[in-house]
Amino acid sequence: MRLWLGGYTADMDGDGAGIGVLLAGDADTPSAGGSLSFAGTAVAVDSPSWLAQHPTLDVVYAALEGAGGVRAFTRTGPATLAPIGTVQPAGEVTCHVVASPDGRWLTATGYGDGTVARYRLDDDGVPGAPKFGAAAVDPYAQSAAPRLPDDLGADSAQVAELAAASADLAAAAAALRDAVGDEFAHLLPEQATLPDGIESAVTFTDPKPVTPPRTSHAHQARHVSGGLVATTDLGFDLVRFWRDGRLQQEVVLPFGTGPRHTVWHPSGHLYVVTEYSCEVYVLAPDATGRWRIVSAAPVSPEASVGADFPGELSMSIDAGLLYAGIRGINAITALRVLGDGSRVQSIATVDSQVDWPRHHVLISDTLLVAGQRSNEVVSLAIDERNGIPSRRRYSTPAPTPSVLLPIFD
């Protein structure tokens, strides 16, 4: 089978020339388990770091990260593309783009400035001018001491009790730091525990306004049930929910978690992997439709905060497992979905066989992994007994790959 390969070009210190083509397995089978090869460039374009498919048309959308824009391409052959329309502006460092299930809208997110842009698609799939959503506001802008979000899933009494305890702990930590001075401040305890089911460790700091101010980093958009679009803001620790381009709700994650990518589960839960705290948060709507955090778990016991950075999150065919790529230790971790989908647990962490596993995609019994820094794509066999990635099957050189998009004829 064939896949479009997005990546970085010379404008962003990459080795690619545009949207490439990856050949995986036999040409006449929908499997990626056979040999891999890079088949060249389908169309020249600067740093198409993320790709998305139109749901019904043979049109591919690229987030042009360096240019801060999006562009549409139509398929002109088995492995060739041609641009259609013009480059439409998006946010700075545009890192993600996705088409709506009905094929009428395109959403792009900008890592550099946190923008969320929405585009009307015409009958040929060409995006019009952008409409920009409401800018995010840092929920922690007034204090570096993390507050407890309203959406933790605890009742009001629990929230009040925990908030009081948090304030006392933050004040005590500040007083101790003043007493011992900077030389010994690093020896003081800095962690506290959230409510049952929320396993995140929150770091408490001197409760003064955050300096310098943090920057909004919108990283991904995901269509979920009920016509909603969920976007992650890695810089402001937010998951934001939109309807028809209008902001409906924001869920605040603990300070410094860095929500990056999401997966929508058939159970109705949204799984969010965090780049900075190395966790997976589980979100769900309550009876009123308001989204809340219902649980969280470490992405892997082998991942270290500050040294490792989870990237892509995907789901097994039967929806029983999640797969997360972890840059740093260069691993793929498998997490089991538990119970009604409200909890996850890491069950295995394996070598990704690449340097900096930026993206991966599951095709049948094979996980394809894009190694951004090792300039290669590898295939890992999925163990049919437990769903865990296992041995390395094949590899091929590929220029600075950042995303894999299967081509379905």
Side-chain angles (χ1 to χ4, degrees), residues 37-67:
S37 63
F38 178 69
T41 302
V43 62
V45 61
D46 285 339
S47 291
S49 65
W50 190 268
L51 305 174
Q53 177 69 50
H54 189 282
T56 59
L57 302 175
D58 235 347
V59 174
V60 173
Y61 302 98
L64 309 181
E65 188 166 323

PDB file of all heavy atoms in Angstrom, residues 37-67:
ATOM      1  N   SER A  37       9.745   1.220   1.409  1.00  0.00           N
ATOM      2  CA  SER A  37      10.634   2.010   0.561  1.00  0.00           C
ATOM      3  C   SER A  37      10.071   3.411   0.383  1.00  0.00           C
ATOM      4  O   SER A  37       8.851   3.601   0.352  1.00  0.00           O
ATOM      5  CB  SER A  37      10.834   1.347  -0.808  1.00  0.00           C
ATOM      6  OG  SER A  37       9.610   1.274  -1.514  1.00  0.00           O
ATOM      7  N   PHE A  38      10.972   4.362   0.301  1.00  0.00           N
ATOM      8  CA  PHE A  38      10.580   5.743   0.018  1.00  0.00           C
ATOM      9  C   PHE A  38      10.593   5.926  -1.488  1.00  0.00           C
ATOM     10  O   PHE A  38      11.617   5.715  -2.141  1.00  0.00           O
ATOM     11  CB  PHE A  38      11.535   6.724   0.697  1.00  0.00           C
ATOM     12  CG  PHE A  38      11.232   8.168   0.408  1.00  0.00           C
ATOM     13  CD1 PHE A  38      10.091   8.761   0.907  1.00  0.00           C
ATOM     14  CD2 PHE A  38      12.091   8.921  -0.379  1.00  0.00           C
ATOM     15  CE1 PHE A  38       9.806  10.103   0.641  1.00  0.00           C
ATOM     16  CE2 PHE A  38      11.826  10.258  -0.647  1.00  0.00           C
ATOM     17  CZ  PHE A  38      10.682  10.850  -0.136  1.00  0.00           C
ATOM     18  N   ALA A  39       9.456   6.334  -2.063  1.00  0.00           N
ATOM     19  CA  ALA A  39       9.304   6.373  -3.517  1.00  0.00           C
ATOM     20  C   ALA A  39       9.409   7.769  -4.106  1.00  0.00           C
ATOM     21  O   ALA A  39       9.017   7.983  -5.250  1.00  0.00           O
ATOM     22  CB  ALA A  39       7.964   5.753  -3.904  1.00  0.00           C
ATOM     23  N   GLY A  40       9.937   8.716  -3.348  1.00  0.00           N
ATOM     24  CA  GLY A  40      10.147  10.043  -3.899  1.00  0.00           C
ATOM     25  C   GLY A  40       9.081  11.040  -3.465  1.00  0.00           C
ATOM     26  O   GLY A  40       8.273  10.798  -2.573  1.00  0.00           O
ATOM     27  N   THR A  41       9.071  12.192  -4.151  1.00  0.00           N
ATOM     28  CA  THR A  41       8.223  13.318  -3.779  1.00  0.00           C
ATOM     29  C   THR A  41       6.995  13.396  -4.672  1.00  0.00           C
ATOM     30  O   THR A  41       7.113  13.409  -5.898  1.00  0.00           O
ATOM     31  CB  THR A  41       9.012  14.635  -3.867  1.00  0.00           C
ATOM     32  OG1 THR A  41      10.154  14.543  -3.009  1.00  0.00           O
ATOM     33  CG2 THR A  41       8.171  15.821  -3.465  1.00  0.00           C
ATOM     34  N   ALA A  42       5.818  13.462  -4.056  1.00  0.00           N
ATOM     35  CA  ALA A  42       4.570  13.570  -4.806  1.00  0.00           C
ATOM     36  C   ALA A  42       4.320  14.991  -5.278  1.00  0.00           C
ATOM     37  O   ALA A  42       3.766  15.212  -6.358  1.00  0.00           O
ATOM     38  CB  ALA A  42       3.401  13.102  -3.944  1.00  0.00           C
ATOM     39  N   VAL A  43       4.723  15.971  -4.476  1.00  0.00           N
ATOM     40  CA  VAL A  43       4.584  17.380  -4.847  1.00  0.00           C
ATOM     41  C   VAL A  43       5.547  18.178  -3.987  1.00  0.00           C
ATOM     42  O   VAL A  43       5.722  17.896  -2.799  1.00  0.00           O
ATOM     43  CB  VAL A  43       3.135  17.879  -4.674  1.00  0.00           C
ATOM     44  CG1 VAL A  43       2.691  17.800  -3.215  1.00  0.00           C
ATOM     45  CG2 VAL A  43       2.953  19.279  -5.223  1.00  0.00           C
ATOM     46  N   ALA A  44       6.190  19.164  -4.585  1.00  0.00           N
ATOM     47  CA  ALA A  44       7.141  20.001  -3.853  1.00  0.00           C
ATOM     48  C   ALA A  44       6.386  21.085  -3.084  1.00  0.00           C
ATOM     49  O   ALA A  44       5.542  21.783  -3.648  1.00  0.00           O
ATOM     50  CB  ALA A  44       8.136  20.635  -4.813  1.00  0.00           C
ATOM     51  N   VAL A  45       6.688  21.206  -1.806  1.00  0.00           N
ATOM     52  CA  VAL A  45       6.092  22.243  -0.962  1.00  0.00           C
ATOM     53  C   VAL A  45       6.930  22.331   0.306  1.00  0.00           C
ATOM     54  O   VAL A  45       7.516  21.338   0.754  1.00  0.00           O
ATOM     55  CB  VAL A  45       4.614  21.927  -0.630  1.00  0.00           C
ATOM     56  CG1 VAL A  45       4.490  20.609   0.134  1.00  0.00           C
ATOM     57  CG2 VAL A  45       3.958  23.059   0.128  1.00  0.00           C
ATOM     58  N   ASP A  46       7.007  23.523   0.892  1.00  0.00           N
ATOM     59  CA  ASP A  46       7.866  23.723   2.051  1.00  0.00           C
ATOM     60  C   ASP A  46       7.223  23.198   3.336  1.00  0.00           C
ATOM     61  O   ASP A  46       6.115  23.607   3.709  1.00  0.00           O
ATOM     62  CB  ASP A  46       8.187  25.211   2.235  1.00  0.00           C
ATOM     63  CG  ASP A  46       9.202  25.711   1.214  1.00  0.00           C
ATOM     64  OD1 ASP A  46       9.924  24.881   0.649  1.00  0.00           O
ATOM     65  OD2 ASP A  46       9.260  26.937   0.997  1.00  0.00           O
ATOM     66  N   SER A  47       7.934  22.288   3.998  1.00  0.00           N
ATOM     67  CA  SER A  47       7.626  21.769   5.338  1.00  0.00           C
ATOM     68  C   SER A  47       6.143  21.468   5.583  1.00  0.00           C
ATOM     69  O   SER A  47       5.499  22.086   6.433  1.00  0.00           O
ATOM     70  CB  SER A  47       8.143  22.746   6.403  1.00  0.00           C
ATOM     71  OG  SER A  47       9.556  22.752   6.406  1.00  0.00           O
ATOM     72  N   PRO A  48       5.612  20.474   4.847  1.00  0.00           N
ATOM     73  CA  PRO A  48       4.251  20.007   5.123  1.00  0.00           C
ATOM     74  C   PRO A  48       4.269  19.047   6.316  1.00  0.00           C
ATOM     75  O   PRO A  48       4.215  17.823   6.169  1.00  0.00           O
ATOM     76  CB  PRO A  48       3.871  19.282   3.829  1.00  0.00           C
ATOM     77  CG  PRO A  48       5.182  18.729   3.333  1.00  0.00           C
ATOM     78  CD  PRO A  48       6.236  19.731   3.731  1.00  0.00           C
ATOM     79  N   SER A  49       4.339  19.596   7.537  1.00  0.00           N
ATOM     80  CA  SER A  49       4.623  18.778   8.714  1.00  0.00           C
ATOM     81  C   SER A  49       3.424  17.979   9.200  1.00  0.00           C
ATOM     82  O   SER A  49       3.585  17.056  10.000  1.00  0.00           O
ATOM     83  CB  SER A  49       5.151  19.652   9.850  1.00  0.00           C
ATOM     84  OG  SER A  49       4.153  20.567  10.273  1.00  0.00           O
ATOM     85  N   TRP A  50       2.208  18.329   8.743  1.00  0.00           N
ATOM     86  CA  TRP A  50       1.033  17.513   9.075  1.00  0.00           C
ATOM     87  C   TRP A  50       0.143  17.422   7.848  1.00  0.00           C
ATOM     88  O   TRP A  50       0.006  18.390   7.094  1.00  0.00           O
ATOM     89  CB  TRP A  50       0.242  18.099  10.246  1.00  0.00           C
ATOM     90  CG  TRP A  50      -0.807  17.137  10.727  1.00  0.00           C
ATOM     91  CD1 TRP A  50      -2.116  17.064  10.324  1.00  0.00           C
ATOM     92  CD2 TRP A  50      -0.618  16.058  11.650  1.00  0.00           C
ATOM     93  NE1 TRP A  50      -2.753  16.015  10.950  1.00  0.00           N
ATOM     94  CE2 TRP A  50      -1.852  15.386  11.778  1.00  0.00           C
ATOM     95  CE3 TRP A  50       0.475  15.607  12.389  1.00  0.00           C
ATOM     96  CZ2 TRP A  50      -2.023  14.276  12.602  1.00  0.00           C
ATOM     97  CZ3 TRP A  50       0.311  14.512  13.211  1.00  0.00           C
ATOM     98  CH2 TRP A  50      -0.936  13.856  13.319  1.00  0.00           C
ATOM     99  N   LEU A  51      -0.462  16.248   7.646  1.00  0.00           N
ATOM    100  CA  LEU A  51      -1.322  16.005   6.492  1.00  0.00           C
ATOM    101  C   LEU A  51      -2.673  15.470   6.958  1.00  0.00           C
ATOM    102  O   LEU A  51      -2.758  14.755   7.954  1.00  0.00           O
ATOM    103  CB  LEU A  51      -0.682  14.990   5.543  1.00  0.00           C
ATOM    104  CG  LEU A  51       0.726  15.295   5.031  1.00  0.00           C
ATOM    105  CD1 LEU A  51       1.260  14.115   4.226  1.00  0.00           C
ATOM    106  CD2 LEU A  51       0.729  16.567   4.187  1.00  0.00           C
ATOM    107  N   ALA A  52      -3.712  15.809   6.216  1.00  0.00           N
ATOM    108  CA  ALA A  52      -5.057  15.317   6.519  1.00  0.00           C
ATOM    109  C   ALA A  52      -5.796  15.045   5.220  1.00  0.00           C
ATOM    110  O   ALA A  52      -5.582  15.720   4.209  1.00  0.00           O
ATOM    111  CB  ALA A  52      -5.831  16.329   7.357  1.00  0.00           C
ATOM    112  N   GLN A  53      -6.680  14.060   5.252  1.00  0.00           N
ATOM    113  CA  GLN A  53      -7.435  13.641   4.080  1.00  0.00           C
ATOM    114  C   GLN A  53      -8.850  14.197   4.131  1.00  0.00           C
ATOM    115  O   GLN A  53      -9.493  14.212   5.176  1.00  0.00           O
ATOM    116  CB  GLN A  53      -7.492  12.107   4.027  1.00  0.00           C
ATOM    117  CG  GLN A  53      -8.297  11.523   2.892  1.00  0.00           C
ATOM    118  CD  GLN A  53      -7.643  11.753   1.537  1.00  0.00           C
ATOM    119  OE1 GLN A  53      -6.461  11.476   1.364  1.00  0.00           O
ATOM    120  NE2 GLN A  53      -8.412  12.265   0.580  1.00  0.00           N
ATOM    121  N   HIS A  54      -9.358  14.649   2.982  1.00  0.00           N
ATOM    122  CA  HIS A  54     -10.779  14.995   2.873  1.00  0.00           C
ATOM    123  C   HIS A  54     -11.583  13.709   2.984  1.00  0.00           C
ATOM    124  O   HIS A  54     -11.166  12.665   2.470  1.00  0.00           O
ATOM    125  CB  HIS A  54     -11.043  15.681   1.534  1.00  0.00           C
ATOM    126  CG  HIS A  54     -12.415  16.258   1.406  1.00  0.00           C
ATOM    127  ND1 HIS A  54     -13.532  15.485   1.142  1.00  0.00           N
ATOM    128  CD2 HIS A  54     -12.864  17.546   1.514  1.00  0.00           C
ATOM    129  CE1 HIS A  54     -14.601  16.261   1.082  1.00  0.00           C
ATOM    130  NE2 HIS A  54     -14.223  17.517   1.309  1.00  0.00           N
ATOM    131  N   PRO A  55     -12.737  13.708   3.652  1.00  0.00           N
ATOM    132  CA  PRO A  55     -13.460  12.449   3.888  1.00  0.00           C
ATOM    133  C   PRO A  55     -14.042  11.789   2.652  1.00  0.00           C
ATOM    134  O   PRO A  55     -14.255  10.574   2.642  1.00  0.00           O
ATOM    135  CB  PRO A  55     -14.571  12.853   4.870  1.00  0.00           C
ATOM    136  CG  PRO A  55     -14.757  14.316   4.649  1.00  0.00           C
ATOM    137  CD  PRO A  55     -13.393  14.849   4.319  1.00  0.00           C
ATOM    138  N   THR A  56     -14.301  12.559   1.586  1.00  0.00           N
ATOM    139  CA  THR A  56     -14.920  11.967   0.398  1.00  0.00           C
ATOM    140  C   THR A  56     -14.189  12.280  -0.903  1.00  0.00           C
ATOM    141  O   THR A  56     -14.377  11.567  -1.892  1.00  0.00           O
ATOM    142  CB  THR A  56     -16.387  12.441   0.256  1.00  0.00           C
ATOM    143  OG1 THR A  56     -16.415  13.876   0.164  1.00  0.00           O
ATOM    144  CG2 THR A  56     -17.213  11.985   1.447  1.00  0.00           C
ATOM    145  N   LEU A  57     -13.391  13.314  -0.936  1.00  0.00           N
ATOM    146  CA  LEU A  57     -12.680  13.717  -2.147  1.00  0.00           C
ATOM    147  C   LEU A  57     -11.231  13.265  -2.101  1.00  0.00           C
ATOM    148  O   LEU A  57     -10.678  13.030  -1.023  1.00  0.00           O
ATOM    149  CB  LEU A  57     -12.722  15.238  -2.323  1.00  0.00           C
ATOM    150  CG  LEU A  57     -14.099  15.887  -2.405  1.00  0.00           C
ATOM    151  CD1 LEU A  57     -13.962  17.407  -2.442  1.00  0.00           C
ATOM    152  CD2 LEU A  57     -14.867  15.378  -3.626  1.00  0.00           C
ATOM    153  N   ASP A  58     -10.617  13.144  -3.280  1.00  0.00           N
ATOM    154  CA  ASP A  58      -9.196  12.805  -3.348  1.00  0.00           C
ATOM    155  C   ASP A  58      -8.362  14.070  -3.163  1.00  0.00           C
ATOM    156  O   ASP A  58      -7.600  14.492  -4.044  1.00  0.00           O
ATOM    157  CB  ASP A  58      -8.886  12.144  -4.700  1.00  0.00           C
ATOM    158  CG  ASP A  58      -8.224  10.778  -4.515  1.00  0.00           C
ATOM    159  OD1 ASP A  58      -7.807  10.489  -3.389  1.00  0.00           O
ATOM    160  OD2 ASP A  58      -8.132  10.023  -5.507  1.00  0.00           O
ATOM    161  N   VAL A  59      -8.536  14.684  -2.004  1.00  0.00           N
ATOM    162  CA  VAL A  59      -7.864  15.940  -1.673  1.00  0.00           C
ATOM    163  C   VAL A  59      -7.140  15.770  -0.347  1.00  0.00           C
ATOM    164  O   VAL A  59      -7.693  15.213   0.610  1.00  0.00           O
ATOM    165  CB  VAL A  59      -8.865  17.111  -1.585  1.00  0.00           C
ATOM    166  CG1 VAL A  59      -8.182  18.378  -1.091  1.00  0.00           C
ATOM    167  CG2 VAL A  59      -9.517  17.359  -2.946  1.00  0.00           C
ATOM    168  N   VAL A  60      -5.896  16.241  -0.305  1.00  0.00           N
ATOM    169  CA  VAL A  60      -5.061  16.189   0.890  1.00  0.00           C
ATOM    170  C   VAL A  60      -4.747  17.613   1.322  1.00  0.00           C
ATOM    171  O   VAL A  60      -4.474  18.481   0.483  1.00  0.00           O
ATOM    172  CB  VAL A  60      -3.754  15.414   0.620  1.00  0.00           C
ATOM    173  CG1 VAL A  60      -2.802  15.499   1.799  1.00  0.00           C
ATOM    174  CG2 VAL A  60      -4.056  13.964   0.279  1.00  0.00           C
ATOM    175  N   TYR A  61      -4.778  17.831   2.637  1.00  0.00           N
ATOM    176  CA  TYR A  61      -4.469  19.145   3.192  1.00  0.00           C
ATOM    177  C   TYR A  61      -3.151  19.066   3.946  1.00  0.00           C
ATOM    178  O   TYR A  61      -2.879  18.098   4.662  1.00  0.00           O
ATOM    179  CB  TYR A  61      -5.585  19.612   4.129  1.00  0.00           C
ATOM    180  CG  TYR A  61      -6.915  19.679   3.427  1.00  0.00           C
ATOM    181  CD1 TYR A  61      -7.833  18.637   3.547  1.00  0.00           C
ATOM    182  CD2 TYR A  61      -7.230  20.764   2.617  1.00  0.00           C
ATOM    183  CE1 TYR A  61      -9.044  18.683   2.874  1.00  0.00           C
ATOM    184  CE2 TYR A  61      -8.444  20.814   1.940  1.00  0.00           C
ATOM    185  CZ  TYR A  61      -9.338  19.766   2.077  1.00  0.00           C
ATOM    186  OH  TYR A  61     -10.528  19.812   1.394  1.00  0.00           O
ATOM    187  N   ALA A  62      -2.345  20.110   3.791  1.00  0.00           N
ATOM    188  CA  ALA A  62      -1.049  20.154   4.460  1.00  0.00           C
ATOM    189  C   ALA A  62      -0.959  21.380   5.354  1.00  0.00           C
ATOM    190  O   ALA A  62      -1.352  22.490   4.950  1.00  0.00           O
ATOM    191  CB  ALA A  62       0.083  20.182   3.442  1.00  0.00           C
ATOM    192  N   ALA A  63      -0.473  21.176   6.578  1.00  0.00           N
ATOM    193  CA  ALA A  63      -0.098  22.287   7.444  1.00  0.00           C
ATOM    194  C   ALA A  63       1.330  22.675   7.070  1.00  0.00           C
ATOM    195  O   ALA A  63       2.250  21.874   7.220  1.00  0.00           O
ATOM    196  CB  ALA A  63      -0.175  21.870   8.905  1.00  0.00           C
ATOM    197  N   LEU A  64       1.493  23.880   6.555  1.00  0.00           N
ATOM    198  CA  LEU A  64       2.809  24.359   6.135  1.00  0.00           C
ATOM    199  C   LEU A  64       3.431  25.087   7.330  1.00  0.00           C
ATOM    200  O   LEU A  64       3.207  26.280   7.547  1.00  0.00           O
ATOM    201  CB  LEU A  64       2.684  25.274   4.919  1.00  0.00           C
ATOM    202  CG  LEU A  64       1.865  24.689   3.749  1.00  0.00           C
ATOM    203  CD1 LEU A  64       1.826  25.672   2.584  1.00  0.00           C
ATOM    204  CD2 LEU A  64       2.434  23.345   3.312  1.00  0.00           C
ATOM    205  N   GLU A  65       4.198  24.343   8.115  1.00  0.00           N
ATOM    206  CA  GLU A  65       4.608  24.828   9.432  1.00  0.00           C
ATOM    207  C   GLU A  65       5.451  26.088   9.354  1.00  0.00           C
ATOM    208  O   GLU A  65       5.217  27.048  10.091  1.00  0.00           O
ATOM    209  CB  GLU A  65       5.343  23.724  10.183  1.00  0.00           C
ATOM    210  CG  GLU A  65       5.635  24.066  11.620  1.00  0.00           C
ATOM    211  CD  GLU A  65       6.061  22.868  12.441  1.00  0.00           C
ATOM    212  OE1 GLU A  65       5.530  21.767  12.228  1.00  0.00           O
ATOM    213  OE2 GLU A  65       6.930  23.041  13.319  1.00  0.00           O
ATOM    214  N   GLY A  66       6.438  26.100   8.484  1.00  0.00           N
ATOM    215  CA  GLY A  66       7.315  27.259   8.407  1.00  0.00           C
ATOM    216  C   GLY A  66       6.623  28.490   7.866  1.00  0.00           C
ATOM    217  O   GLY A  66       6.877  29.614   8.319  1.00  0.00           O
ATOM    218  N   ALA A  67       5.716  28.291   6.903  1.00  0.00           N
ATOM    219  CA  ALA A  67       5.026  29.417   6.277  1.00  0.00           C
ATOM    220  C   ALA A  67       3.845  29.906   7.095  1.00  0.00           C
ATOM    221  O   ALA A  67       3.324  31.001   6.841  1.00  0.00           O
ATOM    222  CB  ALA A  67       4.552  29.011   4.876  1.00  0.00           C
TER     223      ALA A  67
END
